[in-house]
Amino acid sequence: MKAIFDTVSFDCSRNVTKTYSTSFSTAVKMLAPNIRQDIYNIYGFVRFADEIVDSFHDYNKEELFALFENDLELALKNKISLNPILNAFQHTVHHYEIPKELIDAFMKSMKLDLIKKEYRTKEEFQDYIYGSADVVGLMCLKVFVNGNDTTYENLKDSAMRLGSAFQKVNFLRDLKADFEDLNRTYFPNTDLNQLDEKSKLLIIAEIEADFEAGYEGLIHLPIEAKFGVYTAYIYYKKLLSKLKKTPSTEIKNTRIRVSNYQKYGLFAKCYFTYKLNSI
């Protein structure tokens, strides 16, 4: 029975999430049980695509990505895939009617990472952010609203801004790896060889504006999703706060982290804030 294979596929997506991101998987656990698996399914898909372009340096990335893209198309068409990650993802796509254009935009940005090393204009940067982060937020929002198109449209812009904030924090945190290991520069008009406090604070101000806009939608999310999204929001805000306090020279030379001890404190604080209906 395919149900058994689907269960195995879901387990794979859950394991991918837990293995690649303990912080995100913890936030997912704060979601209502009836939507957790679908967020695991989305994360598993985006994680695998991202790994192809970022990590498989000893292999033909273009060929691997083309195979993955072809398998994705077949999975969406046939509603099954022998790749358990894609099988789990197609299940969520069809169940929540996630628009194909969101998936296409994501794949377009991932494909850019195979060939593009620098984003010189704001427009180029925003297009990349839209595909790599904003649409992922919209895929998750489709799950959160469970078919309520009115709520989806009302929260769409804020979900995109929150996705942008998360992605930009990742870029700022991973400056060293992106620049030195992958030879990529995402932030336009920023010379990473000469990154100074002024440039850093301009980037942070932009991210803070995204967070503010994202929070305006977060507080109106359905109850099933609010606590989990709030937990991720608080974690990334803490990471941004640490980046803000870190000298620009140090950001270029190390990867800033939130310690496990700090994470536990943040998650506890999120829980009490949520229980007190302060969100």
mmCIF file of all heavy atoms in Angstrom, residues 25-51:
data_model
loop_
_atom_site.group_PDB
_atom_site.id
_atom_site.type_symbol
_atom_site.label_atom_id
_atom_site.label_comp_id
_atom_site.label_asym_id
_atom_site.label_seq_id
_atom_site.Cartn_x
_atom_site.Cartn_y
_atom_site.Cartn_z
ATOM 1 N N SER A 25 13.671 22.739 13.643
ATOM 2 C CA SER A 25 12.872 21.578 14.031
ATOM 3 C C SER A 25 12.222 21.790 15.394
ATOM 4 O O SER A 25 11.095 21.330 15.631
ATOM 5 C CB SER A 25 13.717 20.302 14.036
ATOM 6 O OG SER A 25 14.766 20.390 14.987
ATOM 7 N N THR A 26 12.891 22.522 16.284
ATOM 8 C CA THR A 26 12.293 22.842 17.578
ATOM 9 C C THR A 26 11.094 23.760 17.393
ATOM 10 O O THR A 26 10.046 23.573 18.028
ATOM 11 C CB THR A 26 13.322 23.526 18.499
ATOM 12 O OG1 THR A 26 14.414 22.629 18.723
ATOM 13 C CG2 THR A 26 12.696 23.894 19.833
ATOM 14 N N ALA A 27 11.220 24.739 16.496
ATOM 15 C CA ALA A 27 10.101 25.644 16.215
ATOM 16 C C ALA A 27 8.926 24.883 15.614
ATOM 17 O O ALA A 27 7.765 25.159 15.937
ATOM 18 C CB ALA A 27 10.554 26.763 15.275
ATOM 19 N N VAL A 28 9.220 23.909 14.747
ATOM 20 C CA VAL A 28 8.153 23.113 14.129
ATOM 21 C C VAL A 28 7.380 22.333 15.192
ATOM 22 O O VAL A 28 6.160 22.164 15.098
ATOM 23 C CB VAL A 28 8.720 22.160 13.061
ATOM 24 C CG1 VAL A 28 7.619 21.250 12.508
ATOM 25 C CG2 VAL A 28 9.358 22.951 11.924
ATOM 26 N N LYS A 29 8.074 21.878 16.221
ATOM 27 C CA LYS A 29 7.414 21.140 17.300
ATOM 28 C C LYS A 29 6.414 22.011 18.048
ATOM 29 O O LYS A 29 5.532 21.489 18.744
ATOM 30 C CB LYS A 29 8.453 20.597 18.276
ATOM 31 C CG LYS A 29 9.316 19.475 17.715
ATOM 32 C CD LYS A 29 10.378 19.045 18.725
ATOM 33 C CE LYS A 29 11.306 18.004 18.137
ATOM 34 N NZ LYS A 29 12.391 17.627 19.085
ATOM 35 N N MET A 30 6.538 23.326 17.918
ATOM 36 C CA MET A 30 5.617 24.246 18.579
ATOM 37 C C MET A 30 4.336 24.464 17.758
ATOM 38 O O MET A 30 3.411 25.129 18.224
ATOM 39 C CB MET A 30 6.288 25.603 18.829
ATOM 40 C CG MET A 30 7.635 25.525 19.535
ATOM 41 S SD MET A 30 7.554 24.721 21.144
ATOM 42 C CE MET A 30 9.280 24.793 21.641
ATOM 43 N N LEU A 31 4.317 23.940 16.539
ATOM 44 C CA LEU A 31 3.114 24.014 15.721
ATOM 45 C C LEU A 31 2.117 22.947 16.175
ATOM 46 O O LEU A 31 2.490 21.972 16.837
ATOM 47 C CB LEU A 31 3.452 23.782 14.244
ATOM 48 C CG LEU A 31 4.421 24.759 13.583
ATOM 49 C CD1 LEU A 31 4.830 24.246 12.207
ATOM 50 C CD2 LEU A 31 3.795 26.150 13.461
ATOM 51 N N ALA A 32 0.873 23.127 15.804
ATOM 52 C CA ALA A 32 -0.139 22.114 16.129
ATOM 53 C C ALA A 32 0.220 20.797 15.433
ATOM 54 O O ALA A 32 0.738 20.801 14.310
ATOM 55 C CB ALA A 32 -1.513 22.593 15.682
ATOM 56 N N PRO A 33 -0.037 19.665 16.065
ATOM 57 C CA PRO A 33 0.329 18.362 15.486
ATOM 58 C C PRO A 33 -0.203 18.127 14.079
ATOM 59 O O PRO A 33 0.454 17.461 13.275
ATOM 60 C CB PRO A 33 -0.274 17.362 16.480
ATOM 61 C CG PRO A 33 -0.315 18.100 17.780
ATOM 62 C CD PRO A 33 -0.630 19.524 17.408
ATOM 63 N N ASN A 34 -1.369 18.685 13.771
ATOM 64 C CA ASN A 34 -1.987 18.411 12.470
ATOM 65 C C ASN A 34 -1.298 19.119 11.302
ATOM 66 O O ASN A 34 -1.578 18.805 10.138
ATOM 67 C CB ASN A 34 -3.468 18.799 12.488
ATOM 68 C CG ASN A 34 -3.694 20.278 12.745
ATOM 69 O OD1 ASN A 34 -3.155 20.833 13.690
ATOM 70 N ND2 ASN A 34 -4.487 20.914 11.897
ATOM 71 N N ILE A 35 -0.378 20.063 11.572
ATOM 72 C CA ILE A 35 0.316 20.739 10.470
ATOM 73 C C ILE A 35 1.830 20.556 10.509
ATOM 74 O O ILE A 35 2.527 20.967 9.579
ATOM 75 C CB ILE A 35 -0.011 22.250 10.425
ATOM 76 C CG1 ILE A 35 0.436 22.944 11.720
ATOM 77 C CG2 ILE A 35 -1.486 22.475 10.143
ATOM 78 C CD1 ILE A 35 0.278 24.456 11.677
ATOM 79 N N ARG A 36 2.349 19.943 11.558
ATOM 80 C CA ARG A 36 3.801 19.783 11.669
ATOM 81 C C ARG A 36 4.398 19.037 10.485
ATOM 82 O O ARG A 36 5.402 19.448 9.915
ATOM 83 C CB ARG A 36 4.158 19.028 12.955
ATOM 84 C CG ARG A 36 4.027 19.819 14.222
ATOM 85 C CD ARG A 36 4.344 18.944 15.421
ATOM 86 N NE ARG A 36 3.807 19.518 16.637
ATOM 87 C CZ ARG A 36 3.595 18.831 17.750
ATOM 88 N NH1 ARG A 36 3.898 17.545 17.795
ATOM 89 N NH2 ARG A 36 3.096 19.426 18.812
ATOM 90 N N GLN A 37 3.802 17.904 10.137
ATOM 91 C CA GLN A 37 4.385 17.069 9.097
ATOM 92 C C GLN A 37 4.499 17.802 7.776
ATOM 93 O O GLN A 37 5.482 17.645 7.053
ATOM 94 C CB GLN A 37 3.575 15.783 8.913
ATOM 95 C CG GLN A 37 4.206 14.808 7.926
ATOM 96 C CD GLN A 37 5.587 14.357 8.364
ATOM 97 O OE1 GLN A 37 5.760 13.811 9.451
ATOM 98 N NE2 GLN A 37 6.595 14.580 7.521
ATOM 99 N N ASP A 38 3.501 18.608 7.453
ATOM 100 C CA ASP A 38 3.542 19.309 6.168
ATOM 101 C C ASP A 38 4.663 20.342 6.125
ATOM 102 O O ASP A 38 5.256 20.584 5.069
ATOM 103 C CB ASP A 38 2.188 19.961 5.883
ATOM 104 C CG ASP A 38 1.123 18.919 5.583
ATOM 105 O OD1 ASP A 38 1.208 18.279 4.526
ATOM 106 O OD2 ASP A 38 0.231 18.731 6.426
ATOM 107 N N ILE A 39 4.984 20.951 7.256
ATOM 108 C CA ILE A 39 6.121 21.880 7.298
ATOM 109 C C ILE A 39 7.425 21.108 7.189
ATOM 110 O O ILE A 39 8.371 21.553 6.523
ATOM 111 C CB ILE A 39 6.072 22.739 8.580
ATOM 112 C CG1 ILE A 39 4.752 23.517 8.643
ATOM 113 C CG2 ILE A 39 7.251 23.709 8.600
ATOM 114 C CD1 ILE A 39 4.463 24.393 7.422
ATOM 115 N N TYR A 40 7.497 19.929 7.818
ATOM 116 C CA TYR A 40 8.660 19.060 7.611
ATOM 117 C C TYR A 40 8.818 18.732 6.123
ATOM 118 O O TYR A 40 9.934 18.717 5.588
ATOM 119 C CB TYR A 40 8.497 17.746 8.376
ATOM 120 C CG TYR A 40 8.660 17.820 9.868
ATOM 121 C CD1 TYR A 40 7.768 17.149 10.716
ATOM 122 C CD2 TYR A 40 9.710 18.526 10.457
ATOM 123 C CE1 TYR A 40 7.921 17.187 12.091
ATOM 124 C CE2 TYR A 40 9.861 18.570 11.834
ATOM 125 C CZ TYR A 40 8.959 17.899 12.650
ATOM 126 O OH TYR A 40 9.114 17.937 14.011
ATOM 127 N N ASN A 41 7.704 18.453 5.467
ATOM 128 C CA ASN A 41 7.743 18.080 4.045
ATOM 129 C C ASN A 41 8.268 19.221 3.179
ATOM 130 O O ASN A 41 9.036 18.994 2.233
ATOM 131 C CB ASN A 41 6.354 17.660 3.565
ATOM 132 C CG ASN A 41 5.855 16.400 4.256
ATOM 133 O OD1 ASN A 41 6.614 15.693 4.916
ATOM 134 N ND2 ASN A 41 4.571 16.111 4.101
ATOM 135 N N ILE A 42 7.858 20.440 3.498
ATOM 136 C CA ILE A 42 8.345 21.603 2.755
ATOM 137 C C ILE A 42 9.831 21.823 3.030
ATOM 138 O O ILE A 42 10.623 22.047 2.109
ATOM 139 C CB ILE A 42 7.534 22.863 3.129
ATOM 140 C CG1 ILE A 42 6.091 22.734 2.609
ATOM 141 C CG2 ILE A 42 8.185 24.124 2.552
ATOM 142 C CD1 ILE A 42 5.154 23.821 3.094
ATOM 143 N N TYR A 43 10.220 21.735 4.296
ATOM 144 C CA TYR A 43 11.631 21.952 4.642
ATOM 145 C C TYR A 43 12.527 20.913 3.984
ATOM 146 O O TYR A 43 13.615 21.238 3.485
ATOM 147 C CB TYR A 43 11.833 21.927 6.158
ATOM 148 C CG TYR A 43 13.274 22.205 6.550
ATOM 149 C CD1 TYR A 43 13.708 23.508 6.755
ATOM 150 C CD2 TYR A 43 14.204 21.171 6.670
ATOM 151 C CE1 TYR A 43 15.029 23.783 7.095
ATOM 152 C CE2 TYR A 43 15.531 21.435 7.000
ATOM 153 C CZ TYR A 43 15.931 22.734 7.212
ATOM 154 O OH TYR A 43 17.249 22.994 7.518
ATOM 155 N N GLY A 44 12.108 19.654 3.997
ATOM 156 C CA GLY A 44 12.918 18.606 3.380
ATOM 157 C C GLY A 44 13.196 18.901 1.916
ATOM 158 O O GLY A 44 14.324 18.739 1.436
ATOM 159 N N PHE A 45 12.178 19.358 1.209
ATOM 160 C CA PHE A 45 12.335 19.697 -0.206
ATOM 161 C C PHE A 45 13.311 20.845 -0.411
ATOM 162 O O PHE A 45 14.265 20.734 -1.202
ATOM 163 C CB PHE A 45 10.966 20.059 -0.798
ATOM 164 C CG PHE A 45 11.046 20.817 -2.085
ATOM 165 C CD1 PHE A 45 11.519 20.220 -3.250
ATOM 166 C CD2 PHE A 45 10.650 22.155 -2.144
ATOM 167 C CE1 PHE A 45 11.611 20.931 -4.439
ATOM 168 C CE2 PHE A 45 10.735 22.871 -3.327
ATOM 169 C CZ PHE A 45 11.213 22.254 -4.479
ATOM 170 N N VAL A 46 13.106 21.955 0.307
ATOM 171 C CA VAL A 46 13.976 23.120 0.086
ATOM 172 C C VAL A 46 15.398 22.834 0.570
ATOM 173 O O VAL A 46 16.366 23.336 0.004
ATOM 174 C CB VAL A 46 13.401 24.401 0.745
ATOM 175 C CG1 VAL A 46 12.022 24.727 0.176
ATOM 176 C CG2 VAL A 46 13.328 24.290 2.247
ATOM 177 N N ARG A 47 15.532 22.017 1.612
ATOM 178 C CA ARG A 47 16.861 21.685 2.118
ATOM 179 C C ARG A 47 17.663 20.883 1.102
ATOM 180 O O ARG A 47 18.851 21.138 0.885
ATOM 181 C CB ARG A 47 16.716 20.871 3.416
ATOM 182 C CG ARG A 47 18.016 20.472 4.092
ATOM 183 C CD ARG A 47 18.617 21.646 4.797
ATOM 184 N NE ARG A 47 19.636 22.317 4.028
ATOM 185 C CZ ARG A 47 20.164 23.468 4.366
ATOM 186 N NH1 ARG A 47 19.743 24.105 5.450
ATOM 187 N NH2 ARG A 47 21.091 24.026 3.621
ATOM 188 N N PHE A 48 17.012 19.909 0.457
ATOM 189 C CA PHE A 48 17.720 19.082 -0.517
ATOM 190 C C PHE A 48 18.158 19.904 -1.723
ATOM 191 O O PHE A 48 19.275 19.757 -2.214
ATOM 192 C CB PHE A 48 16.841 17.913 -0.959
ATOM 193 C CG PHE A 48 17.091 16.657 -0.170
ATOM 194 C CD1 PHE A 48 17.452 16.714 1.169
ATOM 195 C CD2 PHE A 48 16.949 15.409 -0.756
ATOM 196 C CE1 PHE A 48 17.680 15.561 1.906
ATOM 197 C CE2 PHE A 48 17.181 14.246 -0.027
ATOM 198 C CZ PHE A 48 17.547 14.319 1.302
ATOM 199 N N ALA A 49 17.286 20.784 -2.213
ATOM 200 C CA ALA A 49 17.650 21.636 -3.348
ATOM 201 C C ALA A 49 18.826 22.527 -2.977
ATOM 202 O O ALA A 49 19.771 22.699 -3.756
ATOM 203 C CB ALA A 49 16.449 22.479 -3.770
ATOM 204 N N ASP A 50 18.789 23.083 -1.775
ATOM 205 C CA ASP A 50 19.851 23.966 -1.309
ATOM 206 C C ASP A 50 21.168 23.205 -1.132
ATOM 207 O O ASP A 50 22.243 23.730 -1.434
ATOM 208 C CB ASP A 50 19.433 24.610 0.019
ATOM 209 C CG ASP A 50 20.315 25.791 0.387
ATOM 210 O OD1 ASP A 50 20.448 26.708 -0.426
ATOM 211 O OD2 ASP A 50 20.873 25.776 1.492
ATOM 212 N N GLU A 51 21.101 21.973 -0.664
ATOM 213 C CA GLU A 51 22.310 21.182 -0.483
ATOM 214 C C GLU A 51 23.010 20.912 -1.813
ATOM 215 O O GLU A 51 24.235 20.903 -1.891
ATOM 216 C CB GLU A 51 21.979 19.853 0.211
ATOM 217 C CG GLU A 51 21.740 19.978 1.700
ATOM 218 C CD GLU A 51 22.924 20.599 2.426
ATOM 219 O OE1 GLU A 51 24.020 20.009 2.412
ATOM 220 O OE2 GLU A 51 22.756 21.688 3.004
#
